[in-house]
Amino acid sequence: AAVDADRGTPILAIDMAKARAQIEALPWVKTAKLERHLPDSVRIEIEERTPYALWQQDKRYFLVDRDGKPIIEVPEVDANAQSLPMIVGNDAPRNAPALFAAIETNPDLAARVRAAVRVGERRWNLYLDSFENGIAVRLPEDGFAAAWTRLGLLEKDHQILERDLEFIDLRLEDRLIVRVHKDPNAPAKPGAVKKAVMPAKKDA
């Protein structure tokens, strides 16, 4: 249908450039190559897009490829039940390729990334092991690849991710800020308010 030809259509009557453009406009097609094989055949080779992450935009979900290109919309999903990591934010697909390239430099850590949330359309918060209850890694706006490398070294040398942490803040080059999970059995201090973790909320 995309080629706009049926069996019996003369191959010289097919507009190859138009057919290629229409094939590459299909959601799952990344690239297409068309060749006429006289006397009666047209050969079509396609490269499919491979789902790399799940993009959440408001209450809608889309599969995106390694280049951050949305492929198709999918029904509502359970973020923690997905094998693909989730990216969140209006500009997340546009900025995802650089993030993907950075986290892939450490495959062991990359495998633990369950979600990446854009904060203020400036930087990323990563969530390891679980979107809702995992460790939040706050990356800086600039130099996030170096911060990711730093996290890898901290894990290698000190196993920092094996601790019961709520978040790790890597936004400052000269210091590391962490917060441990509060003991649920510990008595609350008078007037204390338990901090709520809001992954999708824009913070500083």
Side-chain angles (χ1 to χ4, degrees):
V3 175
D4 193 22
D6 299 311
R7 184 177 295 275
T9 299
I11 64 172
L12 295 180
I14 299 175
D15 185 333
M16 301 291 275
K18 179 181 177 182
R20 176 184 176 184
Q22 293 180 159
I23 292 173
E24 291 183 341
L26 297 173
W28 284 96
V29 178
K30 183 175 183 180
T31 62
K33 180 180 179 182
L34 282 72
E35 296 177 343
R36 288 190 178 95
H37 287 200
L38 296 174
D40 57 5
S41 300
V42 173
R43 180 179 177 85
I44 302 173
E45 296 182 4
I46 65 170
E47 178 185 358
E48 289 186 329
R49 296 189 181 278
T50 302
Y52 190 93
L54 194 64
W55 173 35
Q56 178 184 345
Q57 186 181 37
D58 298 323
K59 295 183 179 180
R60 303 173 67 188
Y61 298 85
F62 302 83
L63 291 175
V64 298
D65 66 7
R66 173 66 175 69
D67 298 323
K69 168 81 173 177
I71 303 174
I72 59 170
E73 185 173 357
V74 296
E76 186 172 350
V77 297
D78 181 349
N80 284 314
Q82 296 303 307
S83 59
L84 295 176
M86 181 176 292
I87 58 175
V88 182
N90 292 333
D91 67 338
R94 183 171 68 252
N95 292 279
L99 176 69
F100 294 158
I103 65 176
E104 285 172 352
T105 59
N106 190 322
D108 291 336
L109 281 187
R112 298 180 62 174
V113 175
R114 302 313 316 139
V117 177
R118 286 290 286 175
V119 179
E121 298 187 353
R122 296 182 296 106
R123 62 174 194 82
W124 294 97
N125 280 350
L126 304 183
Y127 293 83
L128 306 185
D129 303 324
S130 170
F131 188 21
E132 296 180 353
N133 302 310
I135 300 174
V137 179
R138 299 176 180 178
L139 297 178
E141 181 176 358
D142 299 314
F144 61 85
W148 180 251
T149 299
R150 180 185 175 198
L151 179 63
L153 293 174
L154 287 168
E155 174 62 10
K156 178 181 178 181
D157 296 338
H158 305 288
Q159 293 75 52
I160 189 172
L161 298 178
E162 306 310 313
R163 305 179 187 185
D164 187 22
L165 299 180
E166 180 180 328
F167 70 75
I168 300 174
D169 195 331
L170 296 169
R171 288 178 291 175
L172 300 176
E173 293 184 9
D174 61 344
R175 69 191 65 183
L176 176 70
I177 301 173
V178 301
R179 174 177 290 175
V180 298
H181 278 114
K182 182 179 178 181
D183 184 353
N185 298 316
K189 296 181 180 179
V193 178
K194 184 177 181 181
K195 181 179 182 293
V197 180
M198 302 291 289
K201 184 178 180 180
K202 295 179 180 180
D203 61 10

